[in-house]
């Protein structure tokens, strides 16, 4: 029998970046401690995915309006992305 999907198709799927609407992304980001609604909206407005935001360098996150060093560190530490 033929599988429903090939391993090649599965590999492509795993590499795709999940894109959420800006509203959904802002809602997800607002669960991070010290990220208020406005900061969450500003982060979502970057056009990056949730995963891409968590991979941003600290300095780049700090460029977002309303984000200082403490908030940027908490965003990254919320998911243990970096030490």
């Amino acid at each position: 029998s033929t599988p429903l999907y090939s391993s090649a198709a599965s590999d492509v799927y795993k590499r795709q970046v999940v894109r959420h609407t800006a509203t959904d992304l802002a809602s997800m980001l607002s669960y991070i401690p010290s990220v208020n609604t406005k900061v969450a909206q500003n982060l979502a407005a970057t056009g990056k995915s949730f995963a891409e935001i968590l991979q941003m360098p600290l300095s780049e996150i700090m460029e977002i309006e309303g984000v200082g060093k403490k908030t940027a560190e908490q965003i990254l530490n919320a998911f243990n992305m970096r030490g």
Side-chain angles (χ1 to χ4, degrees), residues 12-13 15 33 35 37 39-41 46 52 62-63 65 67 72 76:
V12 169
Y13 175 76
R15 286 180 270 151
V35 174
T37 302
V39 169
Q41 290 170 346
T46 64
E52 290 168 334
M62 290 174 55
E63 292 175 8
E65 184 178 340
V67 179
L76 296 177

Side-chain angles (χ1 to χ4, degrees), residues 5-17:
Y5 61 90
S6 71
S7 62
S10 178
D11 290 343
V12 169
Y13 175 76
K14 290 176 187 174
R15 286 180 270 151
Q16 290 179 341
V17 176

Side-chain angles (χ1 to χ4, degrees), residues 13-75:
Y13 175 76
K14 290 176 187 174
R15 286 180 270 151
Q16 290 179 341
V17 176
V18 176
R19 296 281 177 198
H20 298 280
T21 66
T23 302
D24 288 345
L25 181 56
S27 179
M28 291 167 52
L29 291 165
S30 68
Y31 284 99
I32 298 172
S34 81
V35 174
N36 61 38
T37 302
K38 184 62 179 168
V39 169
Q41 290 170 346
N42 292 345
L43 285 163
T46 64
K48 295 182 181 290
S49 71
F50 187 76
E52 290 168 334
I53 289 169
L54 297 178
Q55 293 295 320
M56 290 169 64
L58 184 70
S59 60
E60 190 176 340
I61 294 174
M62 290 174 55
E63 292 175 8
I64 305 298
E65 184 178 340
V67 179
K69 184 175 182 180
K70 182 179 178 182
T71 300
E73 288 173 343
Q74 289 181 338
I75 290 168

